[in-house]
Amino acid sequence: CIVEGESGDAAKLSLDGETVLDGAGRRQTALVLARGNHAVELDVDVRRPGSTTALRWTTPDDGNERGLPAHRMYSPLLPRGGLVGTYFPDPAWQGEPTLRQIDPQVAFYFHLLPLPRPFSVLWSGSVYAPVTG
């Protein structure tokens, strides 16, 4: 992802609650994101009227910079989250993972299989339990 602001305008980009870019001018970082919804927050300190800040992404498909399309933006009121599922094309979690995605549920019932069988999944993340028991 790339954040570019005019000289003097500082911007902070947070992804899923973690700051990934902070400062002024053109900044960029390479991140590998799991497929699924992510919380993206861009906080800009505008120092001059009329200045602009841009947030652009590149994908491994073509490497072209592009803005985040409007149809990919959601209200923060929509539920998001889950565990990151790392999918392996092997039943024993071996080899390079083929897919990483945020799974809202831990389950092995799929409408459409994410990979051909046999495959394995390693889920990681945190689970909040509001009560004991």
Side-chain angles (χ1 to χ4, degrees), residues 8-120:
D9 290 347
K12 180 171 86 171
L13 175 66
S14 299
L15 182 67
D16 297 328
E18 293 186 37
T19 300
V20 293
L21 290 173
D22 198 359
R26 180 182 170 98
R27 290 148 334 274
Q28 67 184 53
T29 187
L31 303 169
V32 177
L33 299 179
R35 185 173 69 176
N37 293 335
H38 295 274
V40 177
E41 185 176 329
L42 182 60
D43 185 16
V44 180
D45 179 14
V46 179
R47 308 244 171 160
R48 295 181 318 194
S51 64
T52 60
T53 299
L55 172 62
R56 292 186 296 277
W57 301 87
T58 61
T59 63
D61 301 333
D62 60 17
N64 293 329
E65 289 184 17
R66 63 180 62 84
L68 195 60
H71 73 277
R72 294 286 186 206
M73 295 183 207
Y74 300 92
S75 165
L77 302 176
L78 292 175
R80 67 176 196 280
L83 298 178
V84 175
T86 303
Y87 290 72
F88 296 86
D90 174 278
W93 302 289
Q94 295 178 352
E96 286 295 312
T98 304
L99 170 68
R100 289 184 67 218
Q101 68 180 13
I102 298 172
D103 290 328
Q105 296 179 327
V106 174
F108 270 106
Y109 173 79
F110 298 98
H111 250 24
L112 299 171
L113 288 174
L115 300 174
R117 286 192 173 127
F119 65 90
S120 56

